[in-house]
Structures are given as C-alpha cells and as structure tokens.
Amino acid sequence: MKVAVFNTKSYDQEYFENYNEDYHFDFTFLETALHEKTAKITSGFDAVCVFVNDIVDKETIRILAENGVKLIALRCAGYNNVDLEAAQENNIKVVRVPAYSPEAVAEHAMALILTLNRKTHKAYNRVREGNFSLKNLIGFNIHGKTIGVIGTGQIGAAFCRVVQGFGCHIIAFDINENKALNDLGVNYVSLDELFETSDIISLHCPLNQHTKHIINEVSIAKMKDGVMIINTSRGALIDANGVIDGIINKKIGYLGIDVYEQEENLFFEDHSEHIIKDETILRLLAFPNVLITSHQAFFTKEAMDKITTTTLENIKSYVDGTTLTNEVKA
Ligand code: NAI
C-alpha cells in the first residue's frame, strides 16, 4: 500500500515511522499541502493521508481518482476540508480519526481561559525582566461563573468535565443533547440564552453551513459585556471582523483562539522572518486581551499515539477489505 502523507511535519514522520514497524506500509512523507495544484504528484499512490488544512475539494478529488488513489485517510477528526460527495462519486473512501484525545483539546481550551484570565504569559515575561509589579495582572475567579458550551460531543463533554472541577454553572447548546451531561449538572438552553448569560463561551461544534460565523456581529451584541470567547474548534466559526469590532467596543473582554479562518497560510509554519500580510491576524495579535495558539490543542503525546495508530488501522482495514469503522460518508 503506497501512501502519500501530505503536510508532513517532523513529529508526524517520527510517529508514523515508529508505529509502521508493525504494518509495513510504503509511506512517502511530503511537506507540501494537498490541493488541486499538488494533487498531480499522487500518481502511483493508492492512498493519501491528509490533515486539517489540506484542501481536498472536487477538483483535487478528480485528479486523485484519475491517478488511481482509492483512499483518503484523514489524520484528524474534522472533515470539513473534504468534498465527501465528490469522493463518493469517484469511488474513493474517506476515513478519519474520530476521537484521538478529546481531553487534549478540552484541556487546551482551559489553558487558554486560565492564561487569558490570570495573564501567566505576561507575568512570566515580566518576572524574567525583574519586573515584579502586579499592575494590570488582575484576573477573576472562574469559580461560580457561567460557562456556555456550544457543541457537547466528545470534546465539548470533556470540556464540561474539566470546567465542573472549577465549580462553574455550565450551560450548553447542541442540536443533539448529551443526556449523560445532565447528571454532571449541565443545563441545555437555547443558543440565544447561552449568548445572553455566559461569562465564558467555548466553541466545540463542527464547522458546517449552520455553524459558519456562529459568532458574528449579531450574536456578539447579545452577549454580556466583557465576555470571554474561546475557539478550539474551527476558525470559520468566528467572523473575525465582527470579533475585532466587539473587542474595540469592549463588548468582548477576552478572546482565545487555537484556530483561525485563514490559518492554512500561516499555522504550523515559522513565519518569524517573513512579512505577514494577513491584516486580520495582525490586528488580532495587537490586542492585549487576545491569545492565539497555532492549532496545537490536539498536540499531546497521547493524541499523537492515537492519531497514528487509528490512521494505520484505518488503512489496514481498507487493505484487508474489512469494515471501515471510521469511514465518513456524504
Ligand atoms: P463530535 O462530533 O464528537 O461533537 C460535535 C458536537 O457538535 C456534536 O454533539 C454535534 O451534535 C454538535 N453540533 C453539530 N452541529 C451543531 C450546531 N449547529 N450547533 C451546536 N452543536 C452542533 O466532535 P468532537 O470530536 O467533539 O470535535 C469537535 C470539533 O473540534 C471538530 O469538528 C473539530 O473541528 C474540532 N477539533 C479541533 C482540534 C484542535 O486541535 N484544535 C482537534 C480536534 C477537533
């Protein structure tokens, strides 16, 4: 089985090579992203392995099919970057890693909350420079606050469990309620009530046509003054321009994002010696109450183990002709 692994970073290669000792697939590790212009290099491969920012659209899939690719193995949970209908039409199977470590993402969401609130990133730098002043470092107690969780699947539920330990009032919105969370004290409310009453809003729903820009000018206007918004899900859940206005007029008190709508041109790479031309991210970076991480919420040893082993098992199931338990269909 010849597999082209796109968007490979050194850590991907390390984990895949390590676990592949038991599978013996023929991996070719490519640094480039997969999109319609790079799809032509898949000639001779049986499968492609892709990540969150590869663009597996209709045209890309047409070229993959022409080149004989039969399997798209996502090494992530979200599949909004794959045209599933085009894959089906071209007889290409799509598999993913449905849950590699919900706790990894949930814990990172809490890390963003704690850092934004208690400003440990600023304190660290200050103290290293001999500045022991507390000026402007004041935070607030998370205990007793209302946390609104949008999307209570694997990650949202893990986040509720983390937040419960802080003694918060947890409210949630999901199109499919998770009854098990009621026992944890999570109350499902309407989306409007969540916007109106939450001190902190954390996004854990997938990106689709219903959730795109769910945080926008209109929803922001409904929120409490000084609200904290956390997004570890997908960048396009947030309308960045609406959020920038919300920060400028002090409606939004804090923004923590691990994902960004235009992240494919920036994230996962070192741009420290380049002129960044994306005005929106530059504006966001200039705010003192915005914290941005580069899509690292998933990045724990446990999650990398699970991503790699599940991807290898997904490919093995395809080779063996057994049921593709992690298949995603249109
Ligand atoms: P999941 O499928 O277990 O849960 C998603 C939940 O969102 C489900 O309960 C679903 O009913 C709900 N949902 C769907 N449409 C909704 C809507 N319109 N409004 C409210 N809720 C809605 O997915 P999981 O594993 O919890 O992952 C959630 C998202 O997290 C993924 O789609 C992915 O975009 C993102 N993610 C981010 C990572 C990172 O490193 N930053 C890593 C892994 C996932």
Side-chain angles (χ1 to χ4, degrees):
M1 186 75 170
K2 293 187 77 173
V3 186
V5 184
F6 282 87
N7 247 318
T8 309
K9 300 285 177 277
S10 56
Y11 43 84
D12 295 314
Q13 187 163 348
E14 186 190 314
Y15 274 81
F16 271 81
E17 281 181 344
N18 189 12
Y19 281 103
N20 194 35
E21 283 175 13
D22 300 332
Y23 292 85
H24 309 291
F25 297 130
D26 183 357
F27 285 118
T28 298
F29 295 99
L30 304 161
E31 283 183 23
T32 183
L34 176 62
H35 47 75
E36 65 172 81
K37 292 204 175 84
T38 56
K40 59 177 181 290
I41 60 182
T42 58
S43 180
F45 287 96
D46 308 298
V48 292
C49 178
V50 297
F51 195 47
V52 289
N53 291 326
D54 292 292
I55 303 168
V56 198
D57 57 10
K58 199 171 178 170
E59 180 56 15
T60 306
I61 288 173
R62 189 191 63 74
I63 301 166
L64 293 181
E66 225 172 62
N67 284 347
V69 171
K70 290 275 180 277
L71 178 71
I72 298 168
L74 288 151
R75 51 182 194 280
C76 54
Y79 47 86
N80 52 286
N81 53 335
V82 181
D83 186 332
L84 294 176
E85 275 169 17
Q88 199 165 308
E89 280 162 20
N90 285 281
N91 210 12
I92 296 180
K93 301 281 185 199
V94 181
V95 287
R96 67 168 181 147
V97 184
Y100 33 90
S101 178
E103 286 75 21
V105 183
E107 288 170 15
H108 190 77
M110 183 46 84
L112 292 177
I113 293 172
L114 289 173
T115 309
L116 274 168
N117 175 20
R118 303 307 297 268
K119 305 176 177 71
T120 43
H121 55 320
K122 297 186 183 184
Y124 173 82
N125 285 327
R126 262 189 205 188
V127 170
R128 281 170 67 90
E129 290 181 7
N131 177 357
F132 296 89
S133 152
L134 298 187
K135 200 173 171 204
N136 294 326
L137 290 185
I138 194 158
F140 61 84
N141 283 11
I142 297 204
H143 180 89
K145 293 295 181 296
T146 299
I147 316 284
V149 184
I150 301 179
T152 50
Q154 307 258 13
I155 296 170
F159 179 72
C160 289
R161 291 191 292 272
V162 170
V163 167
Q164 195 208 26
F166 281 78
C168 297
H169 175 48
I170 312 172
I171 57 173
F173 173 76
D174 195 310
I175 50 168
N176 301 305
E177 296 188 6
N178 181 346
K179 301 283 174 228
L181 290 178
N182 292 138
D183 298 338
L184 207 70
V186 176
N187 288 318
Y188 281 96
V189 296
S190 69
L191 193 54
D192 273 351
E193 188 177 340
L194 186 146
F195 287 142
E196 286 159 14
T197 57
S198 299
D199 298 295
I200 299 172
I201 296 172
S202 195
L203 303 173
H204 299 288
C205 56
L207 173 64
N208 57 40
Q209 80 231 46
H210 306 291
T211 59
K212 186 171 179 189
H213 291 184
I214 195 168
I215 304 297
N216 57 36
E217 200 185 341
V218 177
S219 54
I220 292 166
K222 295 175 187 165
M223 295 176 194
K224 278 182 156 180
D225 289 346
V227 65
M228 181 188 287
I229 300 173
I230 301 294
N231 187 10
T232 55
S233 199
R234 283 292 179 267
L237 295 178
I238 285 183
D239 172 17
N241 290 322
V243 164
I244 287 171
D245 288 344
I247 296 167
I248 290 170
N249 65 34
K250 300 205 167 135
K251 185 76 180 169
I252 297 171
Y254 311 81
L255 175 72
I257 54 173
D258 184 53
V259 284
Y260 171 62
E261 192 165 1
Q262 272 78 43
E263 70 176 47
E264 70 270 15
N265 301 322
L266 289 169
F267 283 17
F268 304 114
E269 302 295 337
D270 179 2
H271 296 284
S272 56
E273 293 299 319
H274 301 161
I275 306 295
I276 295 173
K277 293 189 183 129
D278 183 327
E279 297 287 343
T280 308
I281 198 128
L282 291 173
R283 185 68 191 95
L284 287 170
L285 285 168
F287 290 116
N289 51 353
V290 172
L291 180 62
I292 303 177
T293 54
S294 178
H295 210 134
Q296 72 174 76
F298 74 98
F299 201 44
T300 64
K301 290 175 185 168
E302 291 79 359
M304 285 300 288
D305 281 334
K306 190 81 194 290
I307 286 170
T308 316
T309 51
T310 307
T311 303
L312 288 164
E313 278 299 315
N314 285 343
I315 298 170
K316 184 173 184 304
S317 296
Y318 178 81
V319 173
D320 294 348
T322 55
T323 312
L324 292 176
T325 42
N326 296 323
E327 183 174 7
V328 269
K329 292 183 180 171

